[in-house]
Amino acid sequence: MPPKKKKGKGKGKKKGKKKDDATLELEDKYKRTVDEIQALKDHLSIRKEFTRRSVAYKDEMRQRMLGAEEELEDTKSNQKTVNADMTRQYKTMQTEMSLRIHQLETELARTRSGLSQTELELKKTREEKDKIIQNRELTISDLKLKINSMEKDYEGILRGALDALIQKVEVAKERWEERSTTIQSKNKNVLLEFGLKPLEI
């Protein structure tokens, strides 16, 4: 039986700082705005192509009408009827084409307006993102300054406490030495009173 494979440890944490929720939300909004702009541009391109085809169709119809007029000159017996019919068709077509062109121009203007609004929103979003990043950097800088100030304050407090403790120890040491000298002197006198010679240390 082959040896069991050791289970590998989980993947290490990815290097780098994680973006905060506000930055991620701004990036998502930015991506959606870019997608909307691209969609508006595609829509505008389609409308332009449709307008071009409409104008070409209008020119084609005009050429057909001119051909019909030449044919009407060859067939003068039907000239008035055909001429009136073609005139009516031409006016109807012209009216319809004018209406259609007007609709397309209106849609084009609306699309351009939407594009301008989207660009303004994108600019505003970028400014908000830059402002958030700037505020975050200022906050980090302020925190670093406060931490440095606190470290210095704590260091000063510790040094003061240590100096005070050393001073108290020195005072206690001096008092103890004085007290010890007094006790030794009393003991020496008591021994002398009993006729004993104190030991020399």
Side-chain angles (χ1 to χ4, degrees):
M1 177 183 281
K4 293 183 179 178
K5 294 183 179 178
K6 293 184 179 178
K7 294 183 180 178
K9 293 184 179 179
K11 295 182 178 178
K13 294 182 180 179
K14 294 182 179 178
K15 295 182 179 179
K17 297 182 179 178
K18 291 185 178 178
K19 297 181 179 177
D20 55 6
D21 292 340
T23 304
L24 290 175
E25 184 179 352
L26 283 175
E27 288 182 354
D28 288 340
K29 188 175 180 181
Y30 172 76
K31 290 177 180 178
R32 288 197 302 270
T33 304
V34 171
D35 291 340
E36 289 175 3
I37 290 173
Q38 186 61 43
L40 287 172
K41 286 182 178 179
D42 293 340
H43 183 69
L44 180 62
S45 176
I46 291 171
R47 291 297 181 185
K48 284 183 178 179
E49 178 64 18
F50 191 85
T51 303
R52 185 189 66 77
R53 290 181 181 180
S54 298
V55 172
Y57 178 73
K58 178 180 176 181
D59 292 338
E60 180 183 353
M61 292 301 293
R62 186 174 297 168
Q63 292 297 326
R64 287 173 61 185
M65 186 198 68
L66 292 174
E69 288 178 351
E70 291 177 0
E71 185 178 353
L72 284 174
E73 289 177 0
D74 296 335
T75 56
K76 293 194 177 184
S77 61
N78 297 327
Q79 182 176 6
K80 289 183 180 180
T81 304
V82 175
N83 190 34
D85 187 56
M86 289 300 296
T87 301
R88 181 185 60 78
Q89 290 183 15
Y90 173 74
K91 286 182 179 180
T92 301
M93 181 194 65
Q94 190 175 29
T95 301
E96 290 176 354
M97 291 304 299
S98 297
L99 179 61
R100 186 59 181 160
I101 289 171
H102 177 70
Q103 290 176 347
L104 290 173
E105 287 176 347
T106 302
E107 290 181 6
L108 178 61
R110 191 183 299 114
T111 302
R112 285 178 176 170
S113 176
L115 181 61
S116 298
Q117 182 68 26
T118 303
E119 288 176 347
L120 288 175
E121 291 177 359
L122 177 60
K123 182 180 179 183
K124 184 179 179 181
T125 301
R126 285 176 176 170
E127 290 174 353
E128 289 176 355
K129 178 182 176 183
D130 293 340
K131 187 176 180 181
I132 288 174
I133 292 172
Q134 185 179 6
N135 289 338
R136 186 176 64 181
E137 289 177 351
L138 288 174
T139 302
I140 291 172
S141 178
D142 289 342
L143 288 173
K144 286 182 178 179
L145 289 175
K146 288 180 180 179
I147 289 171
N148 290 336
S149 177
M150 288 175 66
E151 286 178 351
K152 289 181 180 178
D153 291 343
Y154 283 131
E155 185 179 354
I157 291 170
L158 289 174
R159 284 184 179 178
L162 184 60
D163 291 342
L165 181 61
I166 291 173
Q167 188 175 3
K168 286 181 180 180
V169 169
E170 291 292 333
V171 170
K173 180 181 177 184
E174 290 177 0
R175 287 179 182 175
W176 176 254
E177 287 178 351
E178 289 176 0
R179 215 168 148 196
S180 175
T181 302
T182 302
I183 291 172
Q184 287 179 2
S185 177
K186 284 181 180 181
N187 290 336
K188 184 177 179 181
N189 291 332
V190 169
L191 290 173
L192 289 173
E193 286 177 1
F194 285 101
L196 299 173
K197 186 177 180 183
L199 297 173
E200 295 292 336
I201 298 174

